[in-house]
Amino acid sequence: MNLTNLNSFLKLGYFLDFHGDDCDFRFIDKDKYKDESESNLIDLGHKLWKSAIEESFETNKKNVVPISGGLDSRIILAELLEFTEASNIETYTFGTPGTIDFEIGNLIAKKTGIKHHSFPLTSHKFSLEEELYFSKNSKMQTVLFHHPPIFDVKEKFSDYNIWSGFGGDNRAGSHLGENEKSNIKQSIDSFVKKNTFVKSTDLLYKDTNNFCDLLDTDFIDEKKVTLIEQLDFKNRQEKYIKPHVLIEGFNYKLPFCNEKINNFFLSLDNERHRRNITFYKKMVLECYPKLFKIGTSSNFGLPLEASKTQILFKRINQRLKRELNKFGGFYENPNTNYIDFNQAIRHKKDLKDLIYSSIMDLKSRNIVDWIEIDKLWDVHQNTKIDHSDALLVLASLEIHLKNGKKI
């Protein structure tokens, strides 16, 4: 058993000993646009984006856009509406009703007249059969349970083109980092800290090599792409995000992976245009104002044009509600992704039973015998500590093993 690879899953929620596609950074040119005005860059970016959608668009094919409160799926939808009628496009969201990502998708579909499908995970019945299916079709590579009801999606959209925003925000600069680290070790430490999945406890087997040795660190000139971003592209995007959001069995369109789009966004100046995805926000607001005046998840449900003061008050308001909830009542965090696993593993019977049976089966294998699985479960159920992150990873590991995953 490769304990180093196992440790990467127990820490990050995905296996590092996995080979995705090579990231093509050959044509990144940081000097190319340094003298261009912002208005010219917006015009150029818009033309390249229209071209990327046009190259992938198929006239006689049905289209669906998985949509949330973010920017990537929305800019795809905005340009698709330039190519075809709203009646030829459908959208779907999944997660918890009342949360930003779930509700904004509904709002966008309503405003554009698009047929929309909502998949609330709060009423969805989690099953071993479905998780085994998702495990197999995501290459047994990532933490499970963070996906739409996949059998429903397959039934409705198996013959559609699914327009995915995969690769959008990171090309625009969202993973640039607040302070770029000056050397490889610092960059790796920062990357691991930021991308740790299991934060509530330490599941790692101690007497083994550092799992960071499995990171793809075949770096190019950091003046083209920063070390942190290279780690993200080569590892998190290719080994975690991509297998998870682009599972086998569907027809995907990936306009952000278009070569010209890739080269354009990565060639922009990091400080002037990419940090805090500044240019990307300005571009979408100017080119597609109708859709981007609707709130976004990055602004706590407020529009992109909201002031810093408005955003601060929104953040404070949500924090106060969370604190008051500790004294009684129930507060549904609007920023919840997918479902509140902390509560669901305690109270949602189907998920609770599936997680428990999976971790008990894992315990019986004696391959992670240094982890006190019973204690983790009991502490979580007694509401002492939220160990949902650890329980999800351990249950996912067992389901991958049931599928024949070799470690």
Side-chain angles (χ1 to χ4, degrees), residues 53-286:
I53 297 293
E54 184 176 19
E55 286 178 20
S56 295
F57 186 78
E58 297 177 77
T59 304
N60 298 318
K61 194 77 173 179
K62 293 182 287 187
N63 305 281
V64 63
V65 181
I67 198 159
S68 65
L71 308 185
D72 300 336
S73 56
R74 201 180 309 187
I75 191 177
I76 291 174
L77 178 61
E79 188 56 38
L80 272 179
L81 286 166
E82 301 291 322
F83 280 85
T84 189
E85 299 292 329
S87 58
N88 296 325
I89 308 171
E90 297 180 31
T91 56
Y92 75 80
T93 53
F94 68 99
T96 297
T99 59
I100 293 172
D101 272 329
F102 191 86
E103 298 300 339
I104 286 180
N106 284 272
L107 179 59
I108 290 171
K110 184 177 181 179
K111 285 187 175 292
T112 54
I114 288 173
K115 182 179 180 181
H116 183 70
H117 306 264
S118 295
F119 299 112
L121 293 181
T122 47
S123 58
H124 172 64
K125 299 300 181 184
F126 289 85
S127 70
L128 178 59
E129 180 187 13
E130 186 172 55
E131 297 308 320
L132 284 168
Y133 177 88
F134 193 89
S135 164
K136 178 181 178 181
N137 288 280
S138 60
K139 301 180 176 66
M140 297 175 284
Q141 177 59 17
T142 75
V143 66
L144 302 174
F145 308 99
H146 296 70
H147 56 80
I150 202 63
F151 290 150
D152 292 341
V153 171
K154 183 181 178 183
E155 180 183 353
K156 292 180 182 296
F157 305 123
S158 61
D159 59 341
Y160 283 57
N161 279 336
I162 298 181
W163 292 79
S164 172
F166 169 73
D169 65 327
N170 55 315
R171 282 171 170 77
S174 65
H175 296 171
L176 194 58
E178 289 300 321
N179 297 297
E180 182 57 26
K181 304 305 176 183
S182 59
N183 61 53
I184 291 175
K185 184 182 184 306
Q186 287 178 332
S187 296
I188 288 174
D189 289 346
S190 177
F191 173 80
V192 171
K193 182 179 180 180
K194 181 178 180 181
N195 291 285
T196 294
F197 186 87
V198 179
K199 298 179 179 180
S200 68
T201 189
D202 185 1
L203 299 178
L204 301 188
Y205 183 74
K206 303 301 181 186
D207 299 326
T208 187
N209 293 329
N210 188 347
F211 67 83
C212 292
D213 294 342
L214 298 175
L215 285 166
D216 186 342
T217 55
D218 185 18
F219 294 120
I220 64 163
D221 184 356
E222 61 187 281
K223 293 179 182 178
K224 283 190 171 184
V225 184
T226 66
L227 297 177
I228 289 285
E229 288 191 296
Q230 289 185 61
L231 285 166
D232 177 70
F233 275 108
K234 295 171 181 289
N235 296 283
R236 188 172 188 272
Q237 298 300 319
E238 288 296 326
K239 302 176 183 183
Y240 180 33
I241 304 298
K242 192 172 186 179
H244 193 90
V245 302
L246 304 179
I247 73 165
E248 296 173 346
F250 295 92
N251 307 308
Y252 295 104
K253 296 296 182 181
L254 309 173
F256 284 103
C257 295
N258 177 279
E259 180 181 326
K260 293 179 181 178
I261 289 294
N262 178 72
N263 296 340
F264 172 74
F265 277 110
L266 288 176
S267 293
L268 294 175
D269 182 82
N270 287 344
E271 297 306 319
R272 289 173 55 210
H273 300 304
R274 297 186 69 246
R275 192 168 299 284
N276 300 318
I277 61 172
T278 304
F279 172 81
Y280 187 33
K281 292 176 181 177
K282 290 179 180 178
M283 186 182 113
V284 298
L285 267 173
E286 182 166 324

Side-chain angles (χ1 to χ4, degrees), residues 320-339:
L320 285 173
K321 287 182 177 178
R322 286 198 300 273
E323 291 301 314
L324 289 172
N325 188 60
K326 295 178 181 179
F327 299 98
F330 179 75
Y331 170 64
E332 185 67 72
N333 185 348
N335 299 309
T336 297
N337 287 325
Y338 311 109
I339 192 173

